[in-house]
């Protein structure tokens, strides 16, 4: 299942207004590691979509948002719960690690 | 289960070239690739040494390779190979997504992946200043100080790219002053770039920082002294390791580092299994040499499959019992024996089919039937060995051996099948 693409506005709404438990992956169109990680997250999302939301955000669109988390690279998976930042996973993340972090969050 | 003629493991330039040749030979060809098509070439921003393309990008060139293979009819599967069984004639491949497929020939083109140094801080600060891809991450270091580890083509070229954003790029080099591992053109450009700075005779010991990278600890290998350098980013380009871990229990021979040795035909130690591109033992790891490997392996695989199919049709499914007569073109006696054998068989009413096997070419069969020297002949009924002939140049004796044998074949229940 393709991840829902969001921008900064939707990002803030989902996390801070709706308090959604969610995973947001920050990507760039020309990042090859992102091209490997996103499909992996899409597969994981099939199993967990009932329990939390999955979003993708292109850093080119919202550099300010990216900087506000002082992130230094893509892909970057950010986890949120109850309106709070829960943790992150960076780089060539394996499926097992994504699932581990999600289970921890739930 | 899906059956293929050739399954290619890996979708980089070597695998895609093999797919072009395999599919063009009208063989049912599948490429299994992990992540994105194009392998490490896909991650290369600028390519200026692939013949016929003055200047192109990795992703563009790999798309052209892929389309070429697709146009000839190659199939693609985005998945990862977890397990293989190469002991069977139809080799078995199991994938992460639970698919099982078979192939008459397998071409291993799984390539390499970046090596980790496994120094303190490297894994912990990944994505927080530790990076491996300049295209992806250089921009996040705008006006900051960055350290690059390594001095090969990739390290220097990526370092130069990072200078477009960063304040200063400091390259940590193992060698003496002025010596880089990269090509001369890139070295010249790097030395002329004001933002490129070099620390010679040194390695990195640790990446420093709690939440984000704050610096690196550098060790001078000549003096043994350690020093710290403040920076916000560290890019590692310290070479590659072969992605051949999934072959551990496959019986495919590998060297200590995991590279696969092959012969001129790209054959591994297992019949019908080939290794091409960066994951094999070789001198030059470039797109152009990977493409050559792929072509060679696909042609070798095509001949192997032809041999395999021929043997099945002519020997294993023959109506008559078959005499497999192994010869070697440089052993005169083995050639003479074939002449005698042919005459004896035709004089006695051609009750046998003779299949001559050149052991200098068909090593698989020679090995399968334990042939050490020629002449060597066995009588087969379907896939059962009835007897081994005593290869004398004496027609009468040979005739007697074959007469005995006819009765043996008559008594053999397999004949009815």
């Amino acid at each position: 299942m393709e991840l829902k693409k969001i921008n900064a506005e939707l990002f803030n709404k989902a996390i801070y207004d709706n308090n959604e438990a969610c995973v947001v992956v920050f990507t760039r169109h020309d990042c090859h590691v992102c091209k490997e990680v996103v499909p992996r997250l899409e597969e994981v999302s099939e199993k967990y979509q009932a329990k939390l939301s999955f979003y993708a955000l292109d850093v080119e669109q919202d550099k300010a948002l990216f900087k506000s988390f002082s992130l230094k690279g893509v892909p970057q998976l950010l986890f949120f719960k109850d309106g709070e930042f829960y943790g992150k996973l960076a780089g060539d993340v394996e499926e097992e690690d994504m699932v581990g972090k999600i289970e921890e969050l739930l | 289960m899906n059956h293929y003629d050739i399954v290619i493991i890996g979708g980089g330039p070597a695998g895609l070239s093999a797919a072009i040749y395999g599919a063009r030979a009208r063989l049912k060809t599948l490429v299994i690739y992990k992540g994105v098509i194009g392998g490490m070439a896909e991650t290369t921003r600028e390519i200026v040494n692939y013949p016929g393309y003055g200047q192109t990008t990795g992703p563009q060139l790999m798309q052209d390779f892929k389309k070429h293979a697709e146009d000839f009819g190659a199939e693609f599967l985005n998945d990862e190979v977890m397990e293989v069984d190469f002991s069977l004639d139809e080799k078995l491949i199991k994938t992460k997504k639970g698919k099982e497929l078979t192939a008459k020939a397998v071409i291993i083109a799984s390539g390499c992946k970046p090596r980790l140094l496994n120094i303190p801080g490297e894994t912990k600060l990944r994505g927080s200043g530790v990076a491996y891809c300049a295209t992806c991450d250089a921009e996040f270091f705008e006006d900051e100080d960055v350290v690059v580890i390594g001095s090969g083509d990739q390290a220097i070229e990526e370092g130069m790219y990072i200078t477009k954003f960063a304040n200063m790029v400091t390259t940590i080099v193992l060698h003496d002053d002025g010596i880089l591992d990269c090509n001369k053109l890139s070295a010249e450009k790097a030395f002329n770039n004001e933002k490129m700075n070099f620390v010679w005779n040194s390695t990195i010991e640790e990446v420093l920082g709690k939440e984000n990278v704050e610096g690196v600890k550098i060790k001078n290998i000549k003096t043994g002294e350690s020093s710290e350098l403040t920076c916000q980013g560290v890019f590692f380009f310290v070479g590659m390791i072969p992605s051949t871990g999934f072959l551990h229990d496959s019986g495919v021979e590998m060297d200590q580092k995991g590279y696969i040795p092959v012969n001129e035909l790209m054959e591994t130690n297992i019949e019908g299994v080939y290794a091409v591109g960066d994951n094999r033992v070789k001198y030059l790891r470039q797109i152009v040499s990977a493409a050559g490997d792929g072509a060679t392996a696909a042609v070798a695989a095509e001949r192997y499959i032809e041999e395999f199919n021929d043997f099945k049709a002519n020997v294993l499914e023959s109506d008559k019992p078959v005499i497999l007569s192994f010869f070697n073109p440089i052993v005169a006696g083995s050639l003479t024996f074939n002449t005698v054998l042919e005459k004896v068989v035709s004089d006695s009413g051609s009750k046998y089919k003779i299949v001559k096997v050149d052991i200098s070419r068909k090593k698989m069969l020679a090995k399968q039937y334990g042939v050490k020297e020629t002449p060597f002949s066995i009588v087969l009924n379907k896939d059962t060995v009835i007897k081994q002939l005593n290869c004398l140049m004496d027609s009468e004796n040979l005739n007697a051996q074959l007469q005995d044998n006819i009765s043996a074949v008559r008594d053999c229940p397999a004949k009815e099948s």
Side-chain angles (χ1 to χ4, degrees):
Chain A
M1 191 188 64
E2 206 179 319
L3 301 176
K4 195 176 168 191
K5 292 193 177 65
I6 55 167
N7 56 25
E9 193 187 330
L10 290 171
F11 176 85
N12 288 327
K13 197 173 169 193
I15 289 155
Y16 303 116
D17 296 347
N18 301 346
N19 289 333
E20 283 180 39
C22 64
V23 185
V24 183
V25 58
F26 286 73
T27 64
R28 269 173 91 105
H29 71 282
D30 57 356
C31 156
H32 60 89
V33 185
C34 302
K35 288 179 196 156
E36 297 193 24
V37 168
V38 169
R40 261 179 237 153
L41 184 64
E42 283 173 343
E43 273 191 27
V44 170
S45 78
E46 307 261 330
K47 268 181 266 172
Y48 288 95
Q49 55 180 324
K51 292 177 183 162
L52 73 171
S53 317
F54 291 82
Y55 299 111
L57 202 153
D58 192 316
V59 294
E60 294 285 327
Q61 315 238 334
D62 281 291
K63 286 184 187 168
L65 180 65
F66 194 74
K67 280 185 181 157
S68 74
F69 285 97
S70 66
L71 302 177
K72 287 283 181 194
V74 284
Q76 195 95 229
L77 274 68
L78 269 61
F79 298 78
F80 296 91
K81 192 186 179 182
D82 303 325
E84 280 183 24
F85 175 59
Y86 190 82
K88 64 181 181 183
L89 290 172
D92 191 9
V93 184
E94 291 297 333
E95 215 173 302
E96 297 79 56
D97 299 321
M98 296 178 188
V99 169
K101 195 87 182 168
I102 289 171
E103 289 290 344
E104 204 182 293
L105 178 110
L106 293 173
Chain B
M1 197 183 303
N2 280 321
H3 304 280
Y4 288 89
D5 292 317
I6 301 181
V7 165
I8 298 159
I9 303 173
L16 293 172
S17 302
I20 291 169
Y21 276 74
R24 182 162 184 255
R26 290 278 167 265
L27 295 167
K28 194 169 153 59
T29 303
L30 175 73
V31 179
I32 304 176
Y33 68 100
K34 186 186 158 195
V36 271
I37 272 287
M40 289 309 295
E42 160 78 21
T43 72
T44 309
R45 200 173 27 254
E46 190 180 65
I47 290 167
V48 293
N49 56 3
Y50 191 74
Y53 287 75
Q55 182 166 28
T56 185
T57 68
Q60 184 54 54
L61 187 60
M62 289 304 99
Q63 275 312 311
D64 290 351
F65 271 45
K66 187 195 181 199
K67 183 168 183 306
H68 197 164
E70 252 170 356
D71 288 348
F72 278 129
E75 295 174 39
F76 290 85
L77 175 68
N78 185 197
D79 205 337
E80 183 179 351
V81 174
M82 301 305 281
E83 209 186 317
V84 293
D85 186 349
F86 291 159
S87 67
L88 311 164
D89 276 347
E90 296 269 342
K91 293 154 185 67
L92 181 68
I93 291 161
K94 293 182 185 174
T95 74
K96 192 168 185 178
K97 292 180 187 165
K99 288 213 171 64
E100 290 193 8
L101 9 116
T102 68
K104 290 183 180 129
V106 174
I107 299 177
I108 303 163
S110 48
C112 284
K113 57 187 175 194
R115 183 167 76 95
L116 299 181
L117 278 187
N118 291 319
I119 54 170
E122 185 186 9
T123 312
K124 191 186 86 181
L125 294 168
R126 184 170 77 168
S128 302
V130 170
Y132 300 87
C133 166
T135 317
C136 313
D137 300 336
E139 206 190 322
F140 304 123
F141 298 93
E142 207 164 348
D143 300 327
E144 296 185 331
D145 292 332
V146 169
V147 164
V148 166
I149 318 293
S151 75
D153 283 350
Q154 198 196 12
I156 299 303
E157 285 164 16
E158 299 288 87
M160 300 273 281
Y161 179 76
I162 301 166
T163 62
K164 290 184 182 175
F165 306 94
N167 175 51
M168 177 65 80
V169 173
T170 305
T171 308
I172 313 290
V173 187
L174 264 180
H175 314 297
D176 284 336
D177 199 333
I179 301 173
L180 300 177
D181 288 327
C182 68
N183 64 77
K184 292 215 166 58
L185 186 65
S186 294
E188 269 172 37
K189 282 187 185 169
F191 291 138
N192 288 326
N193 187 321
E194 284 180 355
K195 284 186 172 181
M196 290 288 278
N197 190 16
F198 298 88
V199 176
W200 306 100
N201 297 313
S202 298
T203 63
I204 181 171
E205 285 184 312
E206 187 177 349
V207 182
L208 307 167
K210 279 186 185 146
E211 293 291 316
N212 290 303
V213 170
E214 292 163 19
V216 288
K217 199 188 230 180
I218 299 168
K219 184 177 181 178
N220 185 309
I221 52 170
K222 281 223 165 139
T223 62
E225 279 170 28
S226 289
S227 59
E228 286 184 10
L229 180 68
T230 304
C231 64
Q232 288 75 47
V234 192
F235 283 74
F236 285 86
F237 302 109
V238 290
M240 313 295 278
I241 51 168
S243 304
T244 50
F246 69 101
L247 295 170
H248 268 318
D249 301 321
S250 67
V252 173
E253 235 170 61
M254 290 183 259
D255 71 7
Q256 269 187 330
K257 290 177 181 166
Y259 290 105
I260 305 166
V262 295
N263 62 15
E264 205 185 11
L265 302 184
M266 305 297 138
E267 291 171 323
T268 65
N269 60 315
I270 299 178
E271 292 282 348
V273 178
Y274 306 80
V276 296
D278 286 0
N279 63 18
R280 78 172 180 93
V281 177
K282 69 189 300 195
Y283 175 65
L284 180 68
R285 293 192 169 83
Q286 291 279 300
I287 299 176
V288 66
S289 57
D293 283 6
T296 305
V299 171
E302 180 193 350
R303 296 202 178 137
Y304 164 82
I305 290 167
E306 204 175 86
E307 211 176 277
F308 178 90
N309 289 343
D310 270 2
F311 187 76
K312 212 168 152 185
N314 287 326
V315 178
L316 303 181
E317 288 162 9
S318 163
D319 296 334
K320 286 188 205 175
V322 172
I323 300 174
L324 270 189
S325 184
F326 294 90
F327 71 100
N328 187 333
I330 59 166
V331 177
S334 70
L335 301 173
T336 317
F337 177 76
N338 273 343
T339 315
V340 176
L341 180 68
E342 272 179 341
K343 186 158 193 314
V344 168
V345 169
S346 83
D347 286 353
S348 61
S350 298
K351 297 185 186 77
Y352 295 92
K353 178 171 170 182
I354 299 172
V355 174
K356 288 179 271 187
V357 183
D358 176 351
I359 67 158
S360 68
R361 295 193 56 229
K362 306 200 173 180
K363 298 193 171 100
M364 161 184 68
L365 281 178
K367 194 173 159 196
Q368 187 180 337
Y369 291 103
V371 183
K372 296 265 178 337
E373 52 185 12
T374 55
F376 181 98
S377 286
I378 49 174
V379 181
L380 279 179
N381 190 31
K382 307 293 179 198
D383 58 356
T384 312
V385 179
I386 308 286
K387 81 187 282 190
Q388 182 183 337
L389 296 179
N390 186 0
C391 298
L392 298 171
M393 306 291 173
D394 174 338
S395 305
E396 254 174 58
N397 177 298
L398 203 51
N399 197 21
Q401 288 188 58
L402 290 172
Q403 290 309 324
D404 277 358
N405 219 46
I406 293 266
S407 51
V409 174
R410 267 196 204 108
D411 296 338
C412 175
K415 188 189 162 215
E416 306 301 326
S417 63

